[in-house]
């Protein structure tokens, strides 16, 4: 109930004419017309018939005026009402019906007024005008404002006629006026209320429709949200299950990875004790150092991935010359076992000159990513070349590592950046790796705010790319460029 009251308070309308603001008024009038048309036709038919039937009384009550009264009834009022009734079956009636009803009210009222004027003391005609007032206000569906004007206009015309033609006493005229004016007042107030409630219903229905649309919209959104959430949950569940599987695989793989160099270290340590000459001793030491280094890098990877998982890995920005870093990596791999044994061509391509390439960024982490990628490229390329370098790409530095190696299948490309993948990929040839390099690289690139991806074709080779956006490092490049 209180909701209804709150809604009604929002109803805007003209307090005198009851009109709504423009667009709503048009809608209301359409609705009022369709709700009223049947009642209007019945009312008009009845009023017209009664108007005609009452002609019977004329010749009996006032034979001296019967002719004139019948002309009024049968040549003016009844034909006009009949035409209006017929017009109600046309399409354009909607546009003109209220004006026609207004005219009909006045015509019928003035008709009886003339009769009352001529025989003012005759109660039959006085009663007839009262009937016209009640029909005009309550029956024919003329709207309040027009009915009021028509009602009072009729009364004014009656009074003008009475003043000009009356042959009767002022008391009768006064008493008639009392009743006619009262009928108009009662009609006005009742018609006002009837129309107000019709408008109120219309407005409340409109509000209800709006709310229903809003509720439907909310329902639709809810459904979409439920579907989205369900998909998210299924995704999360799948990821959790996959992550669980991958972690188990990773642990199994790691144990194996750690045991291999550990066994080698222990084994060669025993051999060292039994070594017969320096050459044998040196060989043992070399193997112990090599396996120790491998073990150390494995442990470094595990620490890095653990830090990434825990979200505690932070970048440490310093100023450095990027080209120097690239050169360092080139030198490192020129003596790499894979490059030397397979006689790979190693190329480093820099987009900027040495001084221009001064940047502020995390040197250690860029180096780590590049070493991971170049190392993989050398590891998985049997013949041909490995090229790495960087370009300036709009708002980021684009690094790439290109090889002419095995290539990676489209299926595998989807997983290689995932953590602990190597152990889970049966097809991956075990070429000494933790399976963490790409996962760590991806996490680091993300930490920089960049992207990493691979384009590859089996048998032709692969290109690994990653971007480092300008907001950190390259703005500094620009600044430093300006200094140069
Ligand atoms: P891993 O320590 O095994 O190299 P990574 O995460 O670095 O671990 O790489 C995951 C897997 O992706 C590799 O085992 C290999 O199968 C594949 N891979 C990575 N880089 C290349 C490449 N340049 N060419 C072909 N395969 C690659």
């Amino acid at each position: 109930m209180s909701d209804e009251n709150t809604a009604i308070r929002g109803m805007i309308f003209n307090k005198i004419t009851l009109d709504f603001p423009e667009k709503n008024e048009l809608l209301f009038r359409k609705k009022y017309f369709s709700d009223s048309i049947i009642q209007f036709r019945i009312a008009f038919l009845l009023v017209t018939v009664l108007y005609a039937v009452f002609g019977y009384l004329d010749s009996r009550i006032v034979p001296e005026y019967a002719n004139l009264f019948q002309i009024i009834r049968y040549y003016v009022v009844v034909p006009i009402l009949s035409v209006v009734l017929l017009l109600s079956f046309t399409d354009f009636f909607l546009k003109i019906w209220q004006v026609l009803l207004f005219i009909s009210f006045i015509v019928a009222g003035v008709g009886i007024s003339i009769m009352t004027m001529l025989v003012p003391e005759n109660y039959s005609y006085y009663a007839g005008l009262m009937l016209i007032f009640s029909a005009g206000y309550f029956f024919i569906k003329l709207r309040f404002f027009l009915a009021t004007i028509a009602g009072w206009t009729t009364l004014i015309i009656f009074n003008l006629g009475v003043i000009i033609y009356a042959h009767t006493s002022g008391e009768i005229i006064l008493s008639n006026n009392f009743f006619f004016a009262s009928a108009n007042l009662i009609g006005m107030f009742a018609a006002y209320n009837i129309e107000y409630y019709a408008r109120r219903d219309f407005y409340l229905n409109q509000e209800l429709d709006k709310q229903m649309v809003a509720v439907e919209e909310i329902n639709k959104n809810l459904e979409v949200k439920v579907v989205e959430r369900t998909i998210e949950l299924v995704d999360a569940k799948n990821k959790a299950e996959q992550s669980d599987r991958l972690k188990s695989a990773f642990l199994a793989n790691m144990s194996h990875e750690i045991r291999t160099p550990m066994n080698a270290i222990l084994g060669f340590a025993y051999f060292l004790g039994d070594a017969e000459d320096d050459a044998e001793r040196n060989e043992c030491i070399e193997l112990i150092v090599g396996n120790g280094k491998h073990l150390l890098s494995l442990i470094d990877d595990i620490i890095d991935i653990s830090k990434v998982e825990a979200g505690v890995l932070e970048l440490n920005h310093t100023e450095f010359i990027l080209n120097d870093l690239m050169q360092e990596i080139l030198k490192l791999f020129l003596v790499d076992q894979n490059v030397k044994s397979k006689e790979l061509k190693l190329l480093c391509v820099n987009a900027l000159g040495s001084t221009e390439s001064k940047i502020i960024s995390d040197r250690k982490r860029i180096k780590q990513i590049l070493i991971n990628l170049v190392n993989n490229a050398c590891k998985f390329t049997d013949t041909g070349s490995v090229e790495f370098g960087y370009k300036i790409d709009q708002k980021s530095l684009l690094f790439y590592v290109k090889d002419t190696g095995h290539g990676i299948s489209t299926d595998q490309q989807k997983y290689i950046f995932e953590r602990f993948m190597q152990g889970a990929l049966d097809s991956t040839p075990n070429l000494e790796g933790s399976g963490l390099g790409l996962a760590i690289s991806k996490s680091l690139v993300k930490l920089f705010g960049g992207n990493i991806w691979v384009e590859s074709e089996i048998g032709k080779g692969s290109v690994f790319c990653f971007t480092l956006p300008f907001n950190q490092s390259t703005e500094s490049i620009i600044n430093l460029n300006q200094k140069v």
Side-chain angles (χ1 to χ4, degrees):
M1 191 64 202
S2 64
D3 278 358
E4 195 176 292
N5 286 339
T6 327
I8 292 161
R9 257 178 256 137
M11 175 167 134
I12 301 166
F13 66 101
N14 185 312
K15 299 280 180 309
I16 297 169
T17 61
L18 285 171
D19 281 3
F20 285 130
E22 266 170 49
K23 204 180 137 210
N24 243 9
E25 180 62 18
L26 288 180
L27 291 175
F28 169 75
R29 288 192 184 181
K30 258 192 187 164
K31 173 94 172 72
Y32 184 69
F33 176 78
S34 60
D35 287 351
S36 306
I37 187 72
I38 300 291
Q39 186 186 326
F40 153 77
R41 284 187 186 136
I42 294 168
F44 240 62
L45 185 65
L46 205 60
V47 169
T48 313
V49 168
L50 289 176
Y51 215 98
V53 169
F54 271 87
Y56 168 73
L57 289 180
D58 297 338
S59 45
R60 312 214 72 187
I61 306 171
V62 284
E64 70 276 23
Y65 289 113
N67 257 353
L68 173 66
F69 287 10
Q70 278 167 8
I71 288 172
I72 293 173
R73 281 185 202 280
Y74 303 125
Y75 291 96
V76 183
V77 180
V78 171
I80 289 178
L81 297 188
S82 307
V83 168
V84 173
L85 189 56
L86 286 176
L87 284 175
S88 79
F89 293 94
T90 62
D91 286 344
F92 56 87
F93 191 61
L94 163 69
K95 292 209 175 87
I96 51 168
W97 75 301
Q98 284 292 310
V99 177
L100 292 179
L101 262 59
F102 171 80
I103 294 167
S104 303
F105 187 179
I106 295 180
V107 167
V110 169
I112 303 274
S113 292
I114 294 170
M115 302 176 200
T116 319
M117 238 178 265
L118 294 171
V119 282
E121 68 288 353
N122 190 312
Y123 71 91
S124 301
Y125 295 98
Y126 145 80
L129 194 49
M130 291 293 269
L131 281 180
I132 293 295
F133 283 135
S134 65
Y137 278 110
F138 305 125
F139 200 30
I140 60 172
K141 301 297 273 182
L142 181 58
R143 287 194 296 108
F144 153 77
F145 192 64
L146 288 175
T148 303
I149 298 173
W152 289 103
T153 308
T154 307
L155 189 56
I156 290 166
I157 293 172
F158 165 75
N159 275 298
L160 288 176
V162 160
I163 292 161
I164 297 163
Y165 298 108
H167 308 295
T168 42
S169 68
E171 274 94 54
I172 291 179
I173 297 169
L174 191 66
S175 102
N176 279 359
N177 262 305
F178 258 99
F179 282 97
F180 294 155
S182 304
N184 266 321
L185 282 175
I186 292 169
M188 265 174 72
F189 284 112
Y192 188 95
N193 258 323
I194 293 168
E195 191 176 330
Y196 170 76
Y197 280 102
R199 285 178 181 272
R200 207 179 83 149
D201 278 358
F202 170 79
Y203 175 76
L204 286 177
N205 275 334
Q206 253 187 347
E207 290 301 294
L208 205 69
D209 284 353
K210 273 187 213 159
Q211 280 181 14
M212 271 168 67
V213 169
V215 168
E216 260 170 38
E217 196 58 34
I218 289 168
N219 271 345
K220 250 189 249 157
N221 284 345
L222 264 180
E223 272 167 35
V224 171
K225 275 212 177 109
V226 168
V227 172
E228 276 173 9
R229 287 278 150 81
T230 315
I231 292 171
E232 275 171 26
L233 280 176
V234 171
D235 257 18
K237 182 176 157 272
N238 287 344
K239 269 197 187 137
E241 282 174 1
Q242 195 197 32
S243 160
D244 195 43
R245 256 186 294 119
L246 292 179
K247 270 184 187 165
S248 306
F250 170 73
L251 279 179
N253 192 43
M254 273 314 102
S255 323
H256 172 76
E257 290 299 330
I258 292 169
R259 285 176 78 91
T260 312
M262 274 305 280
N263 277 337
I265 291 167
L266 282 175
F268 287 115
Y270 287 130
F271 277 145
L272 193 60
D274 299 340
E276 285 174 0
D277 54 28
D278 274 358
E280 230 173 60
R281 213 168 290 131
N282 283 343
E283 198 184 343
C284 284
I285 291 170
E286 214 173 280
L287 286 165
I288 290 171
V289 169
N291 279 291
K293 274 185 186 167
H294 178 57
L295 197 58
L296 198 63
S297 87
L298 204 62
I299 289 165
D300 277 346
D301 275 1
I302 295 171
I303 290 171
D304 274 351
I305 202 78
S306 309
K307 277 186 184 169
V308 169
E309 290 258 299
V312 292
L313 198 88
E314 276 178 11
L315 296 176
N316 178 22
H317 295 283
T318 52
E319 196 179 280
F320 66 97
I321 305 232
L322 182 57
N323 286 8
D324 287 356
L325 169 64
M326 302 299 277
Q327 218 48 38
E328 217 174 289
I329 294 167
L330 181 69
K331 275 187 196 152
L332 201 73
F333 280 96
L334 280 174
V335 292
D336 178 78
Q337 225 16 64
N338 278 308
V339 177
K340 284 203 308 199
S341 62
K342 294 185 269 186
E343 290 177 1
L344 299 174
K345 221 170 118 194
L346 204 56
L347 272 156
C348 172
V349 181
N350 299 324
L352 297 170
S354 180
T355 33
E356 288 169 318
S357 73
K358 202 186 261 180
I359 64 169
I360 294 178
S361 195
D362 190 326
R363 189 181 202 276
K364 181 179 157 200
R365 295 301 176 185
I366 296 181
K367 185 174 176 183
Q368 188 179 356
I369 303 168
L370 283 168
I371 287 180
N372 273 338
L373 298 182
V374 177
N375 189 38
N376 277 345
C378 299
K379 208 160 60 172
F380 298 106
T381 305
D382 293 337
T383 52
S385 63
V386 170
E387 178 187 323
F388 65 100
Y390 68 89
K391 297 172 186 169
I392 306 286
D393 178 37
Q394 291 180 341
K395 283 223 156 240
S396 56
L397 270 178
L398 172 82
F399 289 87
Y400 69 93
V401 178
K402 190 166 144 191
D403 65 54
T404 54
H406 300 175
I408 306 162
S409 72
T410 337
D411 247 11
Q412 209 182 338
Q413 286 175 30
K414 287 181 205 150
Y415 300 110
I416 49 168
F417 293 103
E418 298 295 322
R419 279 158 213 171
F420 320 128
M421 216 50 232
Q422 200 208 46
L425 292 170
D426 295 340
S427 60
T428 308
N430 199 343
L431 289 171
E432 255 193 23
S434 61
L436 286 176
L438 289 180
I440 293 172
S441 302
K442 181 180 169 183
S443 300
L444 290 175
V445 169
K446 289 274 163 222
L447 215 58
F448 278 102
N451 268 322
I452 185 164
W453 68 94
V454 63
E455 285 155 25
S456 182
E457 213 178 310
I458 291 281
K460 289 204 171 162
S462 319
V463 190
F464 281 81
C465 299
F466 65 96
T467 53
L468 302 183
F470 275 6
N471 48 9
Q472 289 169 338
S473 54
T474 317
E475 245 175 46
S476 310
I477 289 180
I478 291 163
N479 287 342
L480 292 163
N481 269 350
Q482 283 163 355
K483 268 190 213 166
V484 169

